[in-house]
Amino acid sequence: MRKKRTLRRAAALAALLLAGGLAAGWFRLRAALPDTFTLAPGQALTVGSLPFLQAGVPSAGPAAAAGSVQADTSRNQTLRLFGVVPVKTVRTVETPRRTVTVSGAPFGVKMFSDGALVVAFSDQYTAFGTENPAKEAGLRLGDLIVSAGGRPVRSNAELSAVVTAAAGQPLPLTYLRDGVQHTTTLTPVADRDTGAWRAGVWVRDSSAGIGTLTFTDPARGTFAGLGHAVSDSDTGAELTLLSGEIVPVSILAVQKGTAGVPGELKGEFSGVALGAVRANDTTGVYGTLTGAAPGGEAMPVANCQEVEVGEAEILTTLSGTTPRRYQVRIERVNLTAADPNRNLLLRVTDERLLAEAGGIVQGMSGSPILQNGRLVGAVTHVLINDPGCGYGIFAATMLEKADAAAG
């Protein structure tokens, strides 16, 4: 009898949704849910940012596949609106919860790119007038030159040496554009005044900057920070990693952010290298520890669905090397964002942070986001026109990438 009443209620509510023109909202809600959720062993499925969704009874328990010595811990569960209207059947996978050492300390990133990045063009004055071999070869800003004349190119010096050796003869170039390899031919020209052979292009082979260390994993000897890739300041292109390291930084001053003008942490590199960079990924900078692991607080990592709309804290450093906690509010949680750097929308509510920095500034990228005693994410970007707001990435995403970077 109770089952029949429940079915009637579900049918009536579904009819009400459709009649009220809310079908589009139902589809949007369904699209906002991922296909798979990770749970700690024995944990029930709830979605912190969507508390009106309730999970049904999971499918049959784990069963070992033929020839396997490990049980399958995944199940199907249906999420229902108010426990009545089915929204989506998802897969849940049980995985032991991980604990990491949360940092919030500033760190410096030094990186060398695996190629020569085109950052500017320079017209050359020759006996025939103004020429630009690089433009004529079809190169664009942000292209990564990886070989010239059949020789690998990983620095400005290497490219200059090949151009000089060509002495005006056509020079085959291989370059990457948006991750796709292309070839072209560049013919160097002689400078009218000096006679030196020129390509008409400025390239960059390294980068250095300040960010925030999100966490270290002493058990696996890894680190994660920044929450986004290291990019070239002129072109915005992500640097293709050849090698890199992270070093301690001491914050000396804060340039306060205002609407339209992002602020910035200013500091100096100090001490020996802490770790080797193994990956410069869209989601952050990852690698292995080579020196003494920075201090911090051991804290469990939240699964994505555990993050809630509401009060939270960020751990960041505005002076010296010691992180402090500041109050923020998570205003939106997007479980299926196409851009993982924008899974969370934050608003700074701490008057101290607003007074000292105006909100979120450059250099805070990677600052850990804490909620309910767990590491839930890291700061990634500031809203240029509203420095009191910024975006964040899930900590679970960064932990997965850190594991992959360590091999």
Side-chain angles (χ1 to χ4, degrees):
M1 189 72 177
R2 180 178 299 173
K3 184 177 181 180
K4 289 183 178 179
R5 285 199 301 268
T6 300
L7 291 174
R8 285 199 296 270
R9 287 176 59 196
L13 184 52
L16 180 62
L17 285 169
L18 294 172
L22 297 179
W26 182 87
F27 283 108
R28 284 196 298 270
L29 178 59
R30 179 183 173 85
L33 296 169
D35 296 326
T36 303
F37 288 89
T38 299
L39 304 176
Q43 181 184 17
L45 175 60
T46 58
V47 184
S49 57
L50 302 171
F52 47 80
L53 290 180
Q54 298 174 18
V57 178
S59 60
S68 172
V69 295
Q70 184 174 2
D72 179 8
T73 59
S74 64
R75 299 175 173 85
N76 287 338
Q77 289 185 258
T78 299
L79 288 166
R80 301 174 184 271
L81 188 61
F82 303 112
V84 178
V85 179
V87 176
K88 186 174 183 177
T89 297
V90 299
R91 196 73 170 162
T92 60
V93 181
E94 288 191 357
T95 301
R97 190 183 295 280
R98 298 271 295 279
T99 296
V100 298
T101 301
V102 177
S103 179
F107 74 141
V109 182
K110 301 177 181 179
M111 279 182 50
F112 291 91
S113 63
D114 192 11
L117 186 70
V118 177
V119 297
F121 294 102
S122 176
D123 292 342
Q124 302 299 306
Y125 295 99
T126 72
F128 304 99
T130 302
E131 299 182 69
N132 192 298
K135 286 184 178 179
E136 293 170 7
L139 292 177
R140 300 178 188 172
L141 295 179
D143 288 347
L144 184 72
I145 301 172
V146 294
S147 72
R151 295 168 55 185
V153 170
R154 294 191 177 93
S155 67
N156 181 33
E158 289 180 350
L159 179 61
S160 296
V162 174
V163 168
T164 299
Q169 295 300 308
L171 188 64
L173 288 183
T174 302
Y175 63 95
L176 299 178
R177 178 181 294 164
D178 299 326
V180 179
Q181 183 171 295
H182 302 270
T183 58
T184 188
T185 300
L186 182 148
T187 303
V189 296
D191 183 274
R192 182 182 60 191
D193 298 323
T194 65
W197 296 104
R198 306 294 189 193
V201 64
W202 291 91
V203 298
R204 183 171 293 144
D205 55 20
S206 62
S207 180
I210 293 174
T212 299
L213 187 64
T214 307
F215 65 82
T216 60
D217 184 352
R220 303 198 180 195
T222 59
F223 69 84
L226 213 58
H228 58 72
V230 174
S231 301
D232 177 70
S233 58
D234 292 314
T235 65
E238 294 180 8
L239 291 184
T240 303
L241 177 67
L242 174 64
S243 64
E245 63 182 16
I246 62 169
V247 297
V249 160
S250 179
I251 300 300
L252 304 178
V254 180
Q255 178 182 322
K256 191 172 182 179
T258 58
V261 182
E264 182 181 6
L265 296 179
K266 297 182 179 295
E268 62 179 4
F269 291 20
S270 61
V272 298
L274 299 173
V277 178
R278 303 298 184 193
N280 181 37
D281 189 83
T282 303
T283 62
V285 172
Y286 306 96
T288 52
L289 295 168
T290 57
E297 179 181 355
M299 192 171 292
V301 177
N303 293 318
C304 301
Q305 75 276 4
E306 294 176 316
V307 186
E308 304 172 0
V309 172
E311 301 309 309
E313 295 176 303
I314 64 171
L315 193 59
T316 198
T317 305
L318 298 185
S319 179
T321 60
T322 305
R324 296 173 61 185
R325 294 191 180 209
Y326 297 93
Q327 299 297 316
V328 299
R329 176 177 174 79
I330 299 176
E331 297 200 326
R332 187 171 69 229
V333 179
N334 190 335
L335 294 168
T336 58
D339 182 352
N341 305 122
R342 288 169 168 76
N343 282 123
L344 306 175
L345 178 64
L346 314 171
R347 177 169 291 279
V348 176
T349 57
D350 197 301
E351 294 299 329
R352 298 170 302 162
L353 185 55
L354 291 170
E356 293 181 51
I360 298 170
V361 299
Q362 297 177 91
M364 286 185 187
S365 295
S367 296
I369 306 170
L370 315 177
Q371 187 181 63
N372 298 326
R374 298 187 181 117
L375 173 65
V376 302
V379 176
T380 59
H381 295 84
V382 60
L383 273 64
I384 299 299
N385 293 323
D386 185 0
C389 285
Y391 289 109
I393 184 173
F394 288 131
T397 301
M398 295 184 71
L399 182 59
E400 180 181 347
K401 296 290 186 178
D403 290 345

